[in-house]
Amino acid sequence: VHTAALTVAKSQGADLSALSPRSEWMIDPSLTYLNHGAFGAASRRVRAVQDDWRVRIEANPAAFTMYEQFDLLAEAAVPLAAFVGTAPNRLALVENATAGMAAVLSGIGLNAGDRIVTTSHVYGAIRNMLTHLGRERRVIVDEIALPAAPDGPKAILAPLGEALDQPTSLLVIDHIASPSALVMPLAEIIELAHARGVAVLVDGSHAPGMLDLDIDALGAEWYVGNCHKWLCAPKGAAFIAISPTAKRFSPLVVSHAYGAGFPAEFRKVGTRDPSAMLSIPEALALHADLGGANLRQRNRMLAAKAAEMIAEAIGGTILGPAAMRGAMASISLPGIPAERSATEALAARLRTEHRIEVLCLVFGGTAWVRLSAHAYNGENDYAALAAALKQLLPGEAHRT
Ligand SMILES: Cc1ncc(COP(=O)(O)O)c(C=O)c1O
């Protein structure tokens, strides 16, 4: 399965059954897993390579940690930089996107009174980080309210452009927003910010492996991405990419490599397990064997088809136009109150009564189910979700 490149038929009749047998993944076989976007999922193949790294590390922990890891981490970054469209000497490996965002925000020299603009689609942990930064450094954080369910890129670009007309030091923008699953019109947003002299930090947590990515062409000053999500690297593998002219900085955890500069300083930040980072090349190889660009397109098509199927089954609406969606989609949940306790209770019933793992959340005053589509998912998974939701949602509206 992995060796044959997938030819994606663009017609309605494309084969959207699972592309990769579930037995090749570590997910509980009794689960229908529709929440890849949250924390990725491990394939047995990449996990085996990570296990080999751990055996090698522990065979001589001193030599590996003091000497060998430094060059090996630099080597692991080379294919990743090529894959995401940047240069290895401008890409630092970090443990996760949150750590990457923290390193950028603390490293780029924000001062009291500087204004940071972000949006209402920002990820909760990053909102907290910005709030903390505001309190500690007395920077001004302006969260711009964007429509929860925009009908096109203009609905995003117009309010952002207006917000950035006021003096601003930094725009923090998601490439793919977590709560809405929307793919932001990133190239236009960066253009709009740069036209006003505003530097841009992109939270691209979901993009590597979901979208075709060319970070240098996008041109943001700083771009943070995760490898454990859509590239299926082990957990503990993420990166910061910086543009050729952007400010370089040290890691938050300054350690033995201090003075080596960006990105080398990031290769020694205390004693840690680098096996996930070292397994990135294997995750990239798996991604390529599953079809690369074809896999990404197939996953987007599957998510789009699944969203239509579920929206029709339950009488919900899909968040955002298809052109602004990737391999995730959110569908409104008729009859479910926009309260966290209600969406969590629904997710718990899906998990325990139907063995379906999927994210149910409140965003913009509406309850949504956010589905994901990766290689191990097929159309039948979403038919199972549609049937389960029809049973669990209150009211008659969806019982046609
Ligand atoms: C948009 C966004 N930013 C940041 C994160 C945090 O990623 P991590 O948990 O790997 O630090 C996520 C994770 O879901 C996300 O969706």
Side-chain angles (χ1 to χ4, degrees), residues 37-38 96-99 123 126 174 176 178 203 205-206 226 228-229:
N96 53 54
T98 309
Y123 184 65
I126 305 303
D174 296 280
I176 300 156
S178 172
D203 178 352
S205 285
H206 283 277
N226 258 327
H228 78 262
K229 285 186 190 274

Side-chain angles (χ1 to χ4, degrees), residues 192-282:
L192 190 146
H194 284 177
R196 291 159 175 79
V198 179
V200 182
L201 164 57
V202 179
D203 178 352
S205 285
H206 283 277
M210 191 205 284
L211 303 179
D212 302 347
L213 194 54
D214 188 345
I215 289 176
D216 281 356
L218 286 166
E221 279 71 12
W222 305 279
Y223 189 107
V224 172
N226 258 327
C227 300
H228 78 262
K229 285 186 190 274
W230 294 89
L231 279 175
C232 307
K235 284 149 191 75
F239 66 88
I240 304 165
I242 65 173
S243 81
T245 53
K247 183 175 186 318
R248 292 168 174 246
F249 47 86
S250 294
L252 258 174
V253 181
V254 166
S255 185
H256 292 295
Y258 190 51
F262 185 101
E265 283 181 30
F266 285 77
R267 289 180 207 133
K268 266 191 190 171
V269 286
T271 308
R272 60 177 179 181
D273 179 358
S275 61
M277 294 170 183
L278 294 168
S279 305
I280 290 171
E282 185 64 19

Side-chain angles (χ1 to χ4, degrees), residues 365-396:
T366 301
W368 308 90
V369 57
R370 188 196 75 181
L371 57 84
S372 294
H374 212 315
Y376 54 80
N377 295 123
E379 265 181 282
N380 55 332
D381 290 338
Y382 308 95
L385 176 61
L389 286 173
K390 271 173 92 86
Q391 262 188 40
L392 294 178
L393 294 188
E396 297 299 318

